[in-house]
Amino acid sequence: MSAQLPTQAQIVIIGGGIVGCSTAYHLTRHGYTDVVLLERKELGSGTTWAAAGLVAQLRQNQEMTNLAKYATELYAKLEAETGVATGYVTTGALGVCQTEDRRREWLRGSAMAGAFGIEMYEISLKEAEDMVPGMSAEGLVSAFYLPKDGQTNPLETTQALAKGARMEGAQIFENTLVTDIKVKDGAICGVSTDAGEIACEIVINCAGMWGREVGKMVKVSLPLAAAEHMHAITKPIEGMPTVFPCVRDFDGRTYFKSEVGGILFGGFEAVAKPWGMKGIPGSFKFTELSEDWDQFEEFMECGLQRFPALEEAEVRHLSVVPESFTPDNAFMVGEAPGIKNFFVGCGMNSVGIASAAGVGRAIAQWVDQGYPEEQLWPVDVRRYFPWQQNNRYVHDRVVESVGILYEHHYPNRQRTTARPVICSPLHDRLKDNRAAFSMIAGWERADWFAPEGVDPVYAYDWRTPNWLPYQKAEHLAVREAVGMYDLTSMGKYLVQGSDAEAVLQKICAGNMAVAVGQVVYTPVLNAKGGFETDITVTRVGEDAFFVVTAAGTVIRDFDYIKRRIPADARATITDVTHGYAMLAVMGPEARNLLQNLTDADLSNEGFPFRTGREIDLAYARPLALRISYVGELGWEFYIPSNFALGVFDAIMAEGEKFGLKLVGMQAVNSLRMECGYRHWENDITPEDTPLEAGLAFAVDFNKGDFVGQDALLAQKQGGLVRKMVQFTLDNPEAKLYQNEPIYQNGEQVSQITSGAYGFKVGSAVGMGYLKNPDGITNDWILDGQYEIMVEGERIPAKVHLRSPYDPQNERTRL
């Protein structure tokens, strides 16, 4: 290792586990040689050394899968490149199912794997037993095989990455503790260590379970905490091969891998044990915690069932070590909000070995070009809010996070711990009306409403979840009469100042030079023309704009806009989310209902579509926007929070005459899907342009220069090769959620970006992109024959160039 600490460096990485070493390795591959890695003790001595070393490829989406796939490529070649053995071997993996419901999940997973380029298929139980000598298929209904999954030695792989980084100029210092991080004018300028000061331009926090404390040095919220994770290792067992495919029994919460002729097995319990909440000992290094055989009993029971030889086998060691988990069970990557040049790669949730290669590559790309090549919102550090570093919240959520890894991954699966955190002013009214609540970004939101005599409790199922009939009633109420939903959780900003219009004109693709009272739906694009977000902007004054964005992206979008306000601009952005409740009243009877509560003219002539103005409503004066995310006539009301209850009660009372029904988020989603409204993260991402997504109407090419304009003009001139379409299924019973493969003329070509059931059209509805390198046309699309893979069955589908419901989007303008 390097001998003398430098006084300056371009980049400092904090943490010498596998993620930190991978980041150093990849930065040097991008040409960065002035890189210093600081490790408080020894490389890999925190969590890395004790990991099981499993390298599973399939993740929850294409981008996360790509990160894991890359690990199998990199780890396989590291020894040849660096001369350091990694112990990497392609073993394959088996997923076994104890129930038909779990089999449905794996069938969907297998189809998703195919869409992501991962080889995975169902095999017979006999084949599974033959692949893994000593494994019993008793009690199983199915098994799935992934031949390209692998295993690696975590510590040796870390050393190989470190060697590769040093070979290209990086310096690595062990036994060097970072004590502080220096900031000047909102940007990183250095670090303090117990061995001296280092001036630097960029700091990357790869500190693992110390990451939260490192984040506090610069006031960045990194909600993670350690939890105990355990696995047992047996002595060699007669007849067991030295290498066999990893076995994952999600129903038994246990995994099994080969270990020098024996078995290593452990798992992820439903109720975990957080550790180190009062601090991690300064002496922590290759440290194991006290054995807890009671906690391990669940894994032992599954082990005895799956590998009967364990009954007589001798366990030579029970390893109990802490590793970090996050509130949503996803790691955190990227440049932190609110501070320039502070990057994060930590909170790995027990998939650090498999993900480290991709995470290191993504951070290096982010540093080098300002963005990663993959769309990484599910793990983007900007999804977290400052309040989420609350000690009690992190502790209580981590209790649940560990077990989520092997839980049923049902659509709409809700977390149950650390709730409630944030409640709308209308929460108790919704609860009194038997709302079942979902949670996003800490907000409790009505997800669906149970009728009288039914408890608002979730019963999950891949085909017929218990809320489906109630969602249908809410959905049809909006289509046929009138519904109301509470979306107070939406993010709300005020952009103000004499330069506000000019700033927004540059950031937004839509035209901000509109009259006071006009509402603009606009993409916010990156230099490649892809969606960084999409927002609704209402001009509420000559120098004031009211901006609305999604609940989950409030921090990300605020940070994105604020960073792009020039230092000399007379413009500010203020987050006013909690100052306003939001109620939406939607449906063909919306105007008739509301007209009885206001003296404002709500006619088409008096209040056209995409108009926003303050009106009297009940005893309040909210900002009323005539806009819709559900494809019907309606208004969104932004109500000062302390007036919200009065407005809600007045609408409910008047609504009895018009068949008003309270509506939850499940129905809002199915309504927007039925009429083709896109959702950022699923349907539109930083890799998708408005031209490809069918949202060119929201771009004004004549308004002047804006971010992404050149890329869109080039795409427009060159012609599209990719386009979003919609599908409905011929089988009215099948359900679409996300990532189901799309087949065109018998060939797999794409996957569903998002799906829901269209209760008005009587079929599942899905969106997805089609691609033709020779140029995509409507005729080419319509000439194809389409099928969607659902639970192992290809179901004939009809393609739609416009939404299957109200394709001309006329009902919002009634």
Side-chain angles (χ1 to χ4, degrees):
M1 300 298 165
S2 303
Q4 186 170 349
L5 197 70
T7 57
Q8 62 182 34
Q10 183 181 13
I11 301 171
V12 171
I13 300 168
I14 303 173
I18 193 168
V19 177
C21 290
S22 172
T23 301
Y25 172 93
H26 285 92
L27 282 167
T28 62
R29 269 58 189 173
H30 277 271
Y32 293 89
T33 57
D34 192 8
V35 176
V36 170
L37 185 150
L38 305 175
E39 163 54 43
R40 57 180 291 280
K41 293 296 183 184
E42 298 173 27
L43 293 184
S45 64
T47 296
T48 297
W49 70 277
L54 304 177
V55 185
Q57 300 177 88
L58 184 61
R59 294 289 183 260
Q60 69 268 36
N61 57 38
Q62 177 77 69
E63 293 77 20
M64 298 300 100
T65 297
N66 289 347
L67 297 187
K69 282 172 64 178
Y70 174 61
T72 65
E73 302 165 9
L74 178 63
Y75 297 165
K77 69 179 185 180
L78 267 180
E79 181 175 357
E81 180 182 338
T82 66
V84 179
T86 63
Y88 182 79
V89 58
T90 301
T91 60
L94 283 177
V96 299
C97 310
Q98 296 184 24
T99 66
E100 283 294 336
D101 216 31
R102 182 70 75 177
R103 178 174 177 264
R104 291 189 192 104
E105 179 178 326
W106 280 87
L107 280 169
R108 286 180 172 271
S110 180
M112 185 172 70
F116 297 167
I118 300 290
E119 190 177 352
M120 176 180 175
Y121 47 87
E122 190 172 19
I123 61 174
S124 71
L125 296 179
K126 177 65 167 58
E127 288 175 301
E129 288 184 327
D130 290 344
M131 282 182 182
V132 186
M135 188 193 82
S136 170
E138 184 178 351
L140 299 179
V141 300
S142 183
F144 290 79
Y145 182 48
L146 296 94
K148 299 298 178 61
D149 277 14
Q151 299 173 18
T152 199
N153 182 297
L155 203 51
E156 291 175 353
T157 304
T158 300
Q159 293 290 351
L161 289 164
K163 174 75 176 295
R166 291 198 307 274
M167 288 167 62
E168 299 297 326
Q171 299 181 75
I172 296 177
F173 295 86
E174 295 182 300
N175 298 302
T176 305
L177 178 67
V178 173
T179 57
D180 198 10
I181 301 173
K182 305 297 184 182
V183 177
K184 183 178 181 181
D185 297 328
I188 292 294
C189 64
V191 299
S192 301
T193 80
D194 58 1
E197 307 279 324
I198 306 177
C200 65
E201 301 171 14
I202 296 169
V203 167
I204 304 174
N205 177 4
C206 298
M209 59 185 172
W210 291 269
R212 183 170 165 230
E213 296 306 313
V214 172
K216 288 179 180 179
M217 294 178 183
V218 288
K219 298 181 180 178
V220 168
S221 175
L222 301 178
L224 62 84
E228 293 185 12
H229 179 60
M230 55 191 71
H231 59 245
I233 304 172
T234 73
K235 289 185 176 180
I237 299 172
E238 186 176 353
M240 289 299 300
T242 55
V243 175
F244 60 79
C246 170
V247 177
R248 296 184 179 90
D249 188 337
F250 282 13
D251 295 301
R253 296 186 171 277
T254 307
Y255 61 82
F256 307 84
K257 61 163 279 193
S258 57
E259 187 75 14
V260 197
I263 299 175
L264 181 152
F265 65 109
F268 302 97
E269 62 272 42
V271 180
K273 294 170 62 179
W275 179 86
M277 296 302 299
K278 295 183 179 180
I280 301 170
S283 60
F284 191 100
K285 178 178 72 170
F286 299 113
T287 301
E288 294 192 67
L289 309 180
S290 299
E291 294 182 352
D292 188 341
W293 287 101
D294 290 338
Q295 190 85 349
F296 194 76
E297 183 178 358
E298 181 176 12
F299 312 133
M300 182 61 78
E301 288 178 357
C302 180
L304 293 172
Q305 182 183 20
R306 203 57 52 231
F307 286 86
L310 286 174
E311 183 75 45
E312 304 296 332
E314 183 177 349
V315 174
R316 66 175 173 86
H317 186 60
L318 175 61
S319 174
V320 183
V321 295
E323 56 181 310
S324 57
F325 288 82
T326 62
D328 58 2
N329 206 238
F331 50 82
M332 51 185 85
V333 180
E335 188 174 10
I339 184 168
K340 293 179 181 178
N341 298 331
F342 181 73
F343 291 82
V344 177
C346 55
M348 300 308 293
N349 295 275
S350 206
V351 295
I353 306 303
S355 303
V359 168
R361 182 179 66 174
I363 293 175
Q365 292 167 348
W366 221 312
V367 168
D368 187 53
Q369 61 191 18
Y371 56 88
E373 291 298 330
E374 303 285 353
Q375 191 283 110
L376 297 179
W377 171 243
V379 294
D380 192 318
V381 68
R382 292 170 293 176
R383 72 189 186 275
Y384 286 125
F385 292 73
W387 62 265
Q388 286 180 290
Q389 63 186 314
N390 174 282
N391 238 36
R392 182 177 174 186
Y393 170 81
V394 173
H395 172 279
D396 292 354
R397 180 52 62 82
V398 166
V399 167
E400 183 182 21
S401 284
V402 174
I404 287 167
L405 282 167
Y406 279 12
E407 279 281 3
H408 280 279
H409 299 93
Y410 292 113
N412 199 37
R413 184 65 183 255
Q414 298 299 314
R415 305 292 192 263
T416 59
T417 54
R419 296 178 63 179
V421 177
I422 310 172
C423 293
S424 156
L426 305 167
H427 178 84
D428 288 351
R429 291 288 199 273
L430 303 176
K431 184 178 179 181
D432 290 344
N433 281 276
R434 296 171 303 286
F437 290 94
S438 59
M439 185 276 298
I440 183 171
W443 285 94
E444 297 289 328
R445 307 199 300 186
D447 206 43
W448 49 275
F449 290 85
E452 289 281 0
V454 175
D455 291 332
V457 177
Y458 288 87
Y460 302 102
D461 189 89
W462 283 100
R463 296 177 177 178
T464 54
N466 69 319
W467 62 83
L468 212 59
Y470 318 133
Q471 176 187 352
K472 178 180 180 180
E474 297 165 24
H475 183 114
L476 294 179
V478 173
R479 290 282 180 252
E480 298 168 0
V482 61
M484 178 168 65
Y485 52 89
D486 171 20
L487 259 178
T488 299
S489 58
M490 296 290 283
K492 312 163 198 83
Y493 317 130
L494 277 175
V495 179
Q496 299 170 290
S498 56
D499 292 332
E501 178 187 304
V503 166
L504 289 174
Q505 282 286 61
K506 179 70 174 179
I507 293 172
C508 299
N511 192 357
M512 299 295 106
V514 296
V516 173
Q518 189 165 336
V519 182
V520 180
Y521 165 74
T522 177
V524 175
L525 306 176
N526 55 39
K528 299 184 297 182
F531 282 86
E532 287 297 324
T533 188
D534 63 330
I535 55 179
T536 300
V537 182
T538 303
R539 190 163 201 159
V540 293
E542 286 301 320
D543 297 336
F545 296 81
F546 187 75
V547 179
V548 178
T549 191
T553 60
V554 171
I555 295 295
R556 183 189 195 278
D557 294 349
F558 183 88
D559 184 67
Y560 189 89
I561 295 171
K562 186 175 182 180
R563 285 174 184 261
R564 285 157 181 79
I565 298 176
D568 59 351
R570 289 166 294 181
T572 62
I573 180 171
T574 307
D575 186 345
V576 295
T577 296
H578 294 276
Y580 295 88
M582 192 278 252
L583 281 172
V585 180
M586 299 285 161
E589 292 290 342
R591 178 181 287 116
N592 295 331
L593 187 165
L594 293 168
Q595 195 65 80
N596 290 344
L597 297 173
T598 182
D599 56 4
D601 181 0
L602 299 184
S603 68
N604 254 329
E605 296 73 24
F607 209 127
F609 185 63
R610 291 187 181 165
T611 296
R613 63 175 69 122
E614 288 187 348
I615 67 170
D616 291 341
L617 185 67
Y619 296 131
R621 192 164 175 78
L623 173 64
L625 306 186
R626 189 171 168 201
I627 198 79
S628 176
Y629 193 52
V630 294
E632 298 292 342
L633 167 70
W635 281 261
E636 294 178 356
F637 297 104
Y638 293 85
I639 312 159
S641 294
N642 49 337
F643 287 85
L645 285 175
V647 173
F648 178 88
D649 290 345
I651 295 173
M652 287 293 287
E654 187 64 28
E656 291 182 8
K657 305 173 187 175
F658 298 92
L660 175 70
K661 197 167 188 66
L662 288 173
V663 173
M665 292 301 100
Q666 286 302 300
V668 170
N669 185 54
S670 57
L671 287 160
R672 72 97 185 169
M673 281 295 307
E674 200 171 50
C675 53
Y677 292 171
R678 282 52 163 163
H679 178 256
W680 189 86
E681 179 192 355
N682 296 335
D683 311 309
I684 48 176
T685 77
E687 298 172 4
D688 308 311
T689 74
L691 305 184
E692 295 168 336
L695 297 175
F697 70 86
V699 178
D700 189 334
F701 287 101
N702 300 315
K703 68 165 188 167
D705 185 45
F706 61 88
V707 176
Q709 183 181 43
D710 291 345
L712 291 188
L713 288 172
Q715 188 178 64
K716 192 175 183 181
Q717 183 176 2
L720 293 180
V721 297
R722 192 168 169 270
K723 186 174 182 178
M724 171 164 276
V725 296
Q726 283 192 267
F727 298 93
T728 51
L729 298 184
D730 288 359
N731 180 350
E733 302 301 318
K735 305 297 192 298
L736 293 176
Y737 299 110
Q738 188 180 19
N739 291 323
E740 292 88 354
I742 300 168
Y743 290 80
Q744 182 186 46
N745 301 327
E747 297 292 326
Q748 183 179 311
V749 295
S750 186
Q751 59 265 359
I752 296 295
T753 56
S754 61
Y757 200 84
F759 294 99
K760 191 67 174 177
V761 300
S763 163
V765 181
M767 297 184 191
Y769 288 90
L770 296 178
K771 185 175 182 180
N772 182 10
D774 297 326
I776 197 163
T777 65
N778 290 345
D779 287 343
W780 180 87
I781 292 170
L782 294 173
D783 281 346
Q785 297 295 315
Y786 296 93
E787 299 166 302
I788 312 292
M789 176 77 82
V790 179
E791 295 181 9
E793 178 186 355
R794 291 192 198 180
I795 298 176
K798 180 180 180 182
V799 70
H800 300 264
L801 299 175
R802 292 180 175 269
S803 60
Y805 176 79
D806 189 23
Q808 301 303 321
N809 197 28
E810 296 171 330
R811 295 183 64 80
T812 58
R813 295 169 170 81
L814 290 174

